[in-house]
Amino acid sequence: YLTPTFAFSPVTEVINEGWRCGPDTITDVNNVFKHYLGVHYYHNYTSGKLPMEPSSQRYIMEFEAGQPFEKHGMEWSVVRVKGQSFMLHQIRKMVGLGISIVRGHTSLKTLDEAWGMKRIDIPRAPGLGLMLDQ
């Protein structure tokens, strides 16, 4: 998933295309993304799945934001997700919730609750940056 790094900016900051990651920004992002690793129920990350439904269980092996790079005056990061299989909107919702946590809109508690019985509305990251490989 290709995203401008200003997506990782704190909600309290006024940002523009000139925003750049701080020294710990990518580390903080990856500390959130690592919570997705392993086997979890992703019923809240797609539609039509019930809590604890076996078909909503997925195995995520890797999930990390790469080091920022500049292109056309903006800073970008490639977020790589490697998993056994994915459901409709799952990656976009994983990235969307991760960004919401990094920015300060919600906390890691929301991520933990998303695997439970409660139905949670999770934001989707825009589809424009999603690239599938292999």
Side-chain angles (χ1 to χ4, degrees):
Y1 190 89
L2 178 66
T3 186
T5 58
F6 62 69
F8 306 141
S9 66
V11 69
T12 55
E13 288 186 22
V14 176
I15 55 127
N16 60 33
E17 293 177 356
W19 191 88
R20 299 294 182 259
C21 286
D24 297 327
T25 303
I26 297 299
T27 301
D28 294 342
V29 171
N30 286 330
N31 283 336
V32 171
F33 286 162
K34 75 179 181 184
H35 288 268
Y36 286 107
L37 300 178
V39 178
H40 300 285
Y41 288 96
Y42 285 91
H43 57 280
N44 277 315
Y45 293 80
T46 193
S47 57
K49 298 289 182 184
L50 297 172
M52 307 306 151
E53 186 176 332
S55 66
S56 70
Q57 199 173 48
R58 294 293 188 267
Y59 174 43
I60 305 300
M61 296 170 263
E62 297 174 20
F63 196 167
E64 68 176 14
Q67 288 304 308
F69 62 93
E70 281 199 40
K71 188 78 170 176
H72 302 297
M74 289 179 58
E75 188 177 64
W76 301 84
S77 177
V78 174
V79 176
R80 293 184 49 104
V81 184
K82 182 178 181 181
Q84 195 171 34
S85 66
F86 299 99
M87 296 178 289
L88 181 66
H89 302 309
Q90 181 185 345
I91 295 171
R92 290 175 56 200
K93 286 190 172 205
M94 290 167 66
V95 171
L97 181 56
I99 288 173
S100 295
I101 293 167
V102 168
R103 295 201 71 207
H105 289 288
T106 190
S107 69
L108 282 169
K109 182 180 177 195
T110 303
L111 193 149
D112 291 332
E113 288 175 352
W115 291 314
M117 297 296 289
K118 186 176 168 187
R119 193 72 175 146
I120 297 175
D121 189 24
I122 296 175
R124 281 188 303 223
L128 185 61
L130 182 63
M131 296 173 286
L132 301 178
D133 184 25
Q134 298 176 352

